[in-house]
Amino acid sequence: MKIAVTVCFVPDTASVIDIVDGALDHSRLNLVMNPYDEYALEEAVRIRERHGKGSVTVFSAAPASSTELLRKVLARGADGAVLVPVEDAIDPCQTAMLLSQAVSGFYGDVLPDLVFSGKKSTDFQSEQVPVMLAELLGIASVSGVTALKETAEGFDAEREIENGIECSSVKLPALFSVEKGLNTPRNVSIRAVMEARKKPIEIFPAGLEGKPHVRLIGLEPVARKKQCRFVRDEKELLGVLSDELHLL
Amino acid sequence: MSGILVFLEQRDGMVRQASIDLWNRLQEPAAADAERQPLSGIIAGPASTVGIETVLSGSCTIYHVSSDLLGLYQPEQYTQTVAELFERSGCSSLVFADTALSRDLAPRLSVRLGDSLLSGCSWPSAIGAGTCSRSVYSGSVVASFAAETGRRIYTISSQGSSAVPRKEGAIVIIPVDDLSGDTTRASAVVQMIAMTAARPDVSEAGIVVAGGRGMGSAEAFAMLDELAGLLGGAVGASRAVVDQGWRPHSEQIGQTGKTVAPRLYLACGISGSVQHLAGTGGAGTLAAINSDRHAPIYDVADFGIVGDVHTVIPKLIKEVREFLKKK
């Protein structure tokens, strides 16, 4: 079974998000693998382990300097990585196009059996790239998968919708974007880190045609601080919420 | 080319409230540029349209593809159907309420039609101008985006989850035959399991009662269930609570959970980490109950009671019961 996993890198929770002149100040950012992508990669590795054969290859459209970050991803059990160097800001559709070119270029005429992606990135949270990639590859997909079961014909997948669960049956090849809770990613051992040093990272110079569909105009910091009014007791709180604000 | 085509999402044959609110909001004076553009709608799947003019504002046309094949959300059939109707309508904008369905469908349409997608837009967004703003980086930053194509697709976040009053008008329903073709390669939704229909989903609730680590145990959430039930709201949870296994991930609010926009957010035993607050930026009023007066949640709260949730919440439930009796 050939499995592709897309990953991206986002600021970790300790990073300081500061906007200077309408742009993000990168000096106090520490990038890590997007948390949702950890679940995607873990699921891919588990499927390969279950089958006892096959390969898991990671694809990322990221700055050329991201190879060290990719080593950490490889330590989570992938067999190799393909980096599509990107220096300029691109929109979700262009990201999907680059990943699609890289996946098609890497596997040749036959698409991988499975593609896994994190449901969204925790920085911009567009939640667009996985489905767009499936669409560009021309394969079936399910978004935000919370349960996955292998069947004779493919996979049965579940995803959360408002007040319910949607159950799908999917034939391969297919892409699954993964929700938190699908699995618990393993801890990375020192040995896995050592082994990752020897794994291949291929540079795939994909090219973009045309202009982006969506352009980022600017970023503005949000002042969220409020003056909290401390109330005496529950009765006063309820009075405020009902009589003053009519919220109940 | 002008006109706004609104996707009216149905489930179990009923148009969903998120779509109805979006539609009615588009006709409010605040949506000034929308007023200059004619509105039309799409319903995919069997749905009763009898009496639809009693919930939807204004005069307009609704295309209804009532094929049974579209009863459940089938990604490929829906993509083909909506793409074809968007082309036929001649509209310049296709607008969705931001839901689990549209977050899957809109990117497919964007690629298939080559139209730009502005997703998760907060209201009011300038639909005529092709721009959108929404919060990024855990809600600490607002990003503005501009569409670079003539035709655009939008998904728009709900606001305050309060029903929008409707305006009088006449609605014309135009039945359309099934438009989908080859779907052999697609995934197929075989079943939809509805859960706790008596309660709104936390992402759509008007009131959210959320609990954090300070609740102390899974059992303590029974109080929050009771309070949410009385208020017609939903229970939410912080990441710590979900990671402890006290509540399901479907209730998690924050960076790796849901984004909520209730008119009232009641944070119980939640300290207020940046990651949690990433999901609460859309709340109208935030009230917090925490034993630590210096907890970061009080920096973003409108109202606070300093105290132990185990004593404050039972008293609050008692007060709510009395309030409801009088109401």
Side-chain angles (χ1 to χ4, degrees):
Chain A
M1 181 125 13
K2 290 195 176 95
I3 310 175
V5 181
T6 68
V7 305
C8 64
F9 303 103
V10 298
D12 69 4
T13 52
S15 290
V16 177
I17 307 293
D18 203 8
I19 305 299
V20 178
D21 297 333
L24 185 65
D25 173 12
H26 288 265
S27 64
R28 284 185 289 172
L29 296 186
N30 182 39
L31 294 183
V32 293
M33 181 182 186
N34 176 39
Y36 285 97
D37 297 344
E38 290 184 16
Y39 303 107
L41 177 55
E42 177 67 25
E43 198 64 21
V45 171
R46 286 186 190 190
I47 290 170
R48 185 200 60 202
E49 286 171 349
R50 207 161 61 221
H51 284 252
K53 58 182 194 305
S55 63
V56 174
T57 308
V58 165
F59 294 81
S60 188
S65 57
S66 307
T67 44
E68 279 314 302
L69 286 164
L70 275 172
R71 291 270 168 228
K72 291 185 189 169
V73 175
L74 289 171
R76 293 180 172 275
D79 301 296
V82 177
L83 174 64
V84 188
V86 184
E87 302 306 330
D88 302 319
I90 55 174
D91 75 1
C93 191
Q94 290 179 308
T95 306
M97 280 177 189
L98 292 177
L99 290 170
S100 159
Q101 287 178 32
V103 168
S104 304
F106 182 82
Y107 292 101
D109 295 335
V110 186
L111 286 172
D113 303 289
L114 283 166
V115 183
F116 282 99
S117 301
K119 176 183 142 167
K120 61 182 177 187
S121 65
T122 56
D123 52 359
F124 267 69
Q125 312 200 22
S126 304
E127 222 174 317
Q128 297 179 10
V129 175
V131 184
M132 286 178 162
L133 175 59
E135 188 71 27
L136 290 167
L137 291 172
I139 60 177
S141 69
V142 181
S143 304
V145 168
T146 50
L148 210 51
K149 205 177 98 206
E150 205 164 344
T151 63
E153 297 196 311
F155 281 85
D156 284 345
E158 289 182 9
R159 74 179 193 120
E160 279 169 10
I161 56 174
E162 297 83 7
N163 254 327
I165 292 173
E166 221 167 57
C167 311
S168 305
S169 88
V170 189
K171 290 187 203 119
L172 303 186
L175 178 146
F176 295 108
S177 91
V178 171
E179 175 67 281
K180 184 194 169 191
L182 177 66
N183 54 48
T184 308
R186 68 195 63 193
N187 293 325
V188 179
S189 65
I190 300 285
R191 191 166 155 225
V193 174
M194 303 294 278
E195 282 173 359
R197 288 190 190 165
K198 285 175 249 145
K199 290 177 181 173
I201 298 179
E202 205 176 292
I203 306 295
F204 186 89
L208 281 173
E209 285 170 29
K211 290 199 300 182
H213 282 170
V214 176
R215 187 167 50 86
L216 177 67
I217 310 172
L219 299 171
E220 261 183 72
V222 181
R224 293 193 62 185
K225 254 195 165 32
K226 288 183 185 172
Q227 190 61 49
C228 180
R229 176 174 147 196
F230 286 96
V231 295
R232 205 171 44 247
D233 56 14
E234 301 73 24
K235 202 176 193 72
E236 188 185 346
L237 179 63
L238 199 74
V240 170
L241 298 180
S242 58
D243 301 338
E244 275 183 44
L245 299 169
H246 308 287
L247 293 173
L248 304 182
Chain B
M1 199 165 64
S2 78
I4 300 172
L5 184 62
V6 182
F7 181 82
L8 297 165
E9 183 177 334
Q10 64 80 27
R11 195 190 289 179
D12 293 330
M14 300 284 289
V15 176
R16 299 193 62 229
Q17 193 61 41
S19 299
I20 293 171
D21 286 346
L22 170 67
W23 175 280
N24 290 349
R25 210 163 260 137
L26 280 168
Q27 308 231 5
E28 283 187 326
D33 65 88
E35 278 209 331
R36 292 194 293 273
Q37 293 195 42
L39 223 60
S40 46
I42 305 177
I43 300 174
S48 167
T49 51
V50 177
I52 198 154
E53 67 280 358
T54 64
V55 292
L56 296 181
S57 286
S59 298
C60 67
T61 303
I62 292 176
Y63 303 98
H64 183 200
V65 192
S66 61
S67 164
D68 286 333
L69 294 172
L70 305 178
L72 295 171
Y73 169 56
Q74 305 296 353
E76 185 57 31
Q77 280 93 329
Y78 270 57
T79 305
Q80 292 178 7
T81 301
V82 178
E84 177 65 26
L85 281 171
F86 190 30
E87 297 272 14
R88 281 191 199 175
S89 72
C91 289
S92 55
S93 304
L94 172 61
V95 182
F96 294 84
D98 189 22
T99 64
L101 190 157
S102 70
R103 285 194 287 275
D104 187 81
L105 178 58
R108 294 178 198 276
L109 287 162
S110 170
V111 169
R112 198 121 0 144
L113 295 166
D115 299 333
S116 45
L117 169 59
L118 297 167
S119 66
C121 306
S122 47
W123 196 270
S125 70
I127 287 180
T131 57
C132 148
S133 61
R134 64 184 171 86
S135 63
V136 297
Y137 293 112
S138 306
S140 58
V141 177
V142 167
S144 308
F145 299 93
E148 301 280 289
T149 60
R151 264 196 337 195
R152 299 124 188 184
I153 302 169
Y154 299 81
T155 68
I156 297 184
S157 307
S158 71
Q159 286 284 302
S161 300
S162 51
V164 179
R166 62 172 283 278
K167 290 189 295 190
E168 289 299 316
I171 287 173
V172 181
I173 305 282
I174 300 181
V176 182
D177 287 334
D178 187 7
L179 299 167
S180 49
D182 179 26
T183 58
T184 43
R185 302 194 67 173
S187 59
V189 175
V190 290
Q191 193 187 7
M192 203 270 292
I193 304 167
M195 311 208 292
T196 55
R199 288 279 181 83
D201 189 82
V202 69
S203 62
E204 297 183 329
I207 294 181
V208 171
V209 180
R213 202 196 301 265
M215 295 301 296
S217 68
E219 291 71 33
F221 273 80
M223 294 189 290
L224 302 191
D225 272 321
E226 186 182 357
L227 186 55
L230 288 170
L231 297 171
V235 172
S238 71
R239 177 187 167 157
V241 163
V242 172
D243 288 354
Q244 288 279 341
W246 296 348
R247 299 299 283 194
H249 176 257
S250 58
E251 290 179 359
Q252 187 182 325
I253 294 164
Q255 195 174 57
T256 48
K258 286 179 177 169
T259 300
V260 298
R263 60 180 187 275
L264 173 62
Y265 190 83
L266 188 59
C268 309
I270 290 178
S271 64
S273 70
V274 172
Q275 290 72 42
H276 182 73
L277 299 178
T280 65
T285 298
L286 198 154
I289 304 168
N290 200 297
S291 53
D292 177 8
R293 201 183 193 288
H294 301 289
I297 191 77
Y298 289 126
D299 291 338
V300 296
D302 298 284
F303 301 97
I305 294 187
V306 179
D308 184 0
V309 287
H310 300 95
T311 52
V312 174
I313 293 168
K315 285 189 204 161
L316 189 59
I317 289 172
K318 199 167 136 258
E319 293 291 338
V320 169
R321 281 194 189 283
E322 274 171 32
F323 165 76
L324 292 173
K325 242 185 270 170
K326 276 185 259 166
K327 203 175 174 183

